[in-house]
Amino acid sequence: MWSDNRYLNSWIQEVATLCQPDATALLTGSPEEMKKLEEALVLKQALIPLSSTLRPHSFLARSNPDDVARVEDRTFICSLAKEDAGPTNNWKDPQEMKKSLNGLFAGCMRGRTLYVVPFCMGPLSSPYSRVAVQITDSPYVVLNMHLMTRVGLPALEVLKDNPFVKCLHSVGKPIVDAKDEADSWPCNPKELCIAHFPEEREVWSFGSGYGGNALLNKKCFALRIASKMARDEGWLAEHMLIIGLTNPEGKKRYFAASFPSACGKTNLAMLTSCLPGWKVECVGDDIAWLNWAADGTLRAINPEAGFFGVAPGTSFKSNPNAMLTIRENTLFTNVALTDEGDVWWEGMTDAPPKHLISWTGADWTSQSRFTAAQANARFTVHISQCPIIDPAYDAAEGVPISGIIFGGRRATTHPLVREALNWSHGVFLGASMTSETTAAAAGELGRIRHDPFSMLPFCGYNMGDYFAHWLSMEKKGRKLPKIFYVNWFQKDGQGKFIWPGFADNIRVLKWMFERVEDSREAKQTPIGLLPKPEDLDLSGLKLQPELLQQLLAVNPAHWKKEASELSRYFALFGDRLPEALSNETVQLQKAFL
Ligand code: GTP
Ligand code: SPV
Ligand code: MN
């Protein structure tokens, strides 16, 4: 008897029989438990303790070089019907997939410990929260989950004797010889498979120990499975940060923003304002669950309890709040190690230290021809350490959302900011998101791709149905948030970013706040409502007038191309594309004929 939950007890038995671990442990969530795991990993040299003065109680993990990011082409949505996975997901027949997974998992935990990690996504007392259980043979994954979710007995207390989402994970490398025993990052990239069963509410992940492949609480459950639950139950599970924005008069409004992976969510979520009197507070940096409350407001909770943030580019200049968040009790993965026992990555300081040990364990100097940190190097840390944590981050009822922001990484075409004309135009803006690919997923970098709602890799069902679900949110009595679309990433002829970004993004947030409050006018264009240049607060910023003009331009040649590409893309969805979106596309095309 592992717990009071009969489903859990029989599942543990079933998985142990299949995977044949040496030992089984149910996690309580206590700090002592975490300490024991850390000590064991340090002993195995799978964790390097950092300097206790420079980075107290913090560790560095180095992954296998073939296991550094999410792998989208090995990620599957195994819905009963192929059409329910839709044209943007990899589909496999659930029965066939289960058969092959049963083969892969048979005996896969030999020599290892099977950890059972109950976890609650969202505040323990929130009606919007959901409990799941991850079984994993990776102690590194367990440590991450301790930092990022509400784990252990408190989660089991919430669960009681109810069914839960089953998340089964193995690094896919049983210990058979001394080499396996010594391996500090076991994984099995050749057999990698991350399979989702949306109808059964199950995830099976095999072969990776990294990020979204292995921390099944995050993208696998809180987005892919949860998006399907949300559709069935009338809510939204989104790849969004959540912030509170306060103006100099003390009025506060909450915004949620959806940008693709490595496109600025963590940075916006922790923004330090460069405008006096304006303040940002952080509710979450990656995932939002949105529900309609009885009073018609859209309430957001952050299902997570910690950050799994991109390290490269993070500095006291770009994101001081992130730097303060990770000053201690932080788990770093694939960053460089300094001679003093601290961490470093590209962009952390203007000049690199003279000598480093790179993420692969090699000596590094500024003459080296490889980067010191891996491009998708990350920090894992509990949200409570964020100096600008919002007082309501753990509130059961969530926070009321006044504005939703979409955005992507585009060198041209998309202006700094625009506002949707109405809800269905806003859904169209979300559906039409495009962005350059980043190191957050394995594959080519910098290729422009469609990433609707930044959910391309994370939607657990047919994306056409997902669009329809968003459209269906517009109902009588609901206070619909205003919808915006931003682009911090326009470049000049030399390939330099035009907009300073980071702290200066508050200038754009201020305009959106004023729009939400109906206290600013806007200019109507065929792509939405744009700020009048004089309405953007650019005080203290040296920006040449031609550059400001470029930031707010609607270039007809660019938009003609964009609209025709969009029409080609939407055709993929066939009759699952809602009519409202095909109408919007036609309108856009007509405007730039
Ligand atoms: P995921 O955790 O993968 O979902 O990423 P994210 O959306 O949270 O992205 P994050 O904030 O970590 O930023 C990713 C990269 O974009 C970092 O290297 C940042 O330095 C860079 N970045 C973020 N905001 C801005 C901005 O306003 N301007 C510019 N030029 N770069 C930015
Ligand atoms: C992302 O890729 O959007 C991330 C990192 O937030 S991971 O957890 O690996 O998905
Ligand atoms: Mn993300």
Side-chain angles (χ1 to χ4, degrees), residues 70 218-219 239 241 258-269 271 285-286 308-315 318-319 346 375-376 378-379 409 438-441 458 487-490 497-505:
R70 284 185 297 99
K218 209 170 165 60
K219 300 303 164 55
H239 192 202
L241 65 91
S258 166
F259 311 148
S261 302
C263 288
K265 287 183 301 301
T266 303
N267 279 274
L268 192 67
L271 181 145
D285 82 324
D286 198 50
F308 182 63
V310 176
T314 308
S315 69
S318 64
N319 192 348
E346 278 69 23
N376 189 38
R378 301 254 168 183
F379 52 78
R409 193 182 274 272
T438 65
F458 309 126
N487 178 19
W488 315 138
F489 299 96
Q490 279 194 71
F497 292 119
I498 300 175
W499 179 248
F502 303 104
D504 287 274
N505 291 334

Side-chain angles (χ1 to χ4, degrees), residues 300-579:
I301 60 162
N302 172 11
E304 306 191 271
F307 306 115
F308 182 63
V310 176
T314 308
S315 69
F316 273 102
K317 250 193 230 159
S318 64
N319 192 348
N321 286 318
M323 294 301 285
L324 292 170
T325 306
I326 59 179
R327 67 200 176 278
E328 57 184 348
N329 309 316
T330 304
L331 176 52
F332 295 90
T333 309
N334 287 347
V335 302
L337 180 66
T338 71
D339 293 349
E340 293 74 38
D342 200 3
V343 289
W344 191 85
W345 45 77
E346 278 69 23
M348 180 171 163
T349 51
D350 287 338
K354 269 206 188 67
H355 174 260
L356 292 165
I357 303 293
S358 80
W359 70 279
T360 59
D363 281 301
W364 187 96
T365 68
S366 54
Q367 257 67 58
S368 297
R369 299 159 74 96
F370 47 89
T371 60
Q374 208 279 334
N376 189 38
R378 301 254 168 183
F379 52 78
T380 318
V381 63
H382 196 265
I383 191 170
S384 61
Q385 290 191 190
C386 179
I388 57 157
I389 181 90
D390 192 89
Y393 96 94
D394 199 33
E397 68 280 11
V399 297
I401 296 296
S402 300
I404 290 175
I405 307 168
F406 296 118
R409 193 182 274 272
R410 287 291 302 272
T412 67
T413 314
H414 288 260
L416 182 62
V417 59
R418 65 193 198 269
E419 180 188 318
L421 302 169
N422 50 49
W423 186 258
S424 65
H425 184 240
V427 174
F428 173 67
L429 294 188
S432 66
M433 277 170 65
T434 49
S435 197
E436 292 166 18
T437 50
T438 65
E444 194 189 344
L445 295 182
R447 179 177 58 86
I448 297 175
R449 70 170 185 182
H450 290 273
D451 191 348
F453 294 80
S454 71
M455 287 288 279
L456 174 72
F458 309 126
C459 184
Y461 59 101
N462 188 307
M463 187 70 87
D465 296 344
Y466 170 91
F467 296 158
H469 185 53
W470 262 86
L471 287 165
S472 79
M473 294 295 120
E474 185 172 20
K475 287 203 175 97
K476 237 179 121 180
R478 285 184 176 174
K479 298 181 188 115
L480 294 169
K482 280 206 157 123
I483 297 180
F484 302 90
Y485 195 113
V486 301
N487 178 19
W488 315 138
F489 299 96
Q490 279 194 71
K491 286 183 176 167
D492 64 13
Q494 274 71 56
K496 232 185 104 221
F497 292 119
I498 300 175
W499 179 248
F502 303 104
D504 287 274
N505 291 334
I506 190 75
R507 303 174 189 280
V508 179
L509 288 176
K510 177 181 174 184
W511 183 77
M512 293 190 270
F513 186 107
E514 291 167 347
R515 288 294 301 164
V516 160
E517 291 299 297
D518 285 324
S519 60
R520 275 282 170 215
E521 287 183 7
K523 192 173 80 185
Q524 182 147 358
T525 79
I527 64 164
L529 301 162
L530 267 77
K532 299 178 180 172
E534 64 273 21
D535 282 346
L536 271 185
D537 185 343
L538 301 178
S539 49
L541 177 66
K542 282 192 211 90
L543 187 68
Q544 290 162 11
E546 356 22 304
L547 290 181
L548 177 61
Q549 207 184 356
Q550 190 180 333
L551 284 169
L552 298 177
V554 182
N555 180 317
H558 287 172
W559 278 99
K560 189 175 174 189
K561 211 169 139 212
E562 192 86 359
S564 90
E565 166 52 27
L566 202 53
S567 139
R568 182 204 65 79
Y569 180 66
F570 280 164
L572 283 181
F573 299 97
D575 61 4
R576 301 263 187 151
L577 183 76
E579 209 181 308

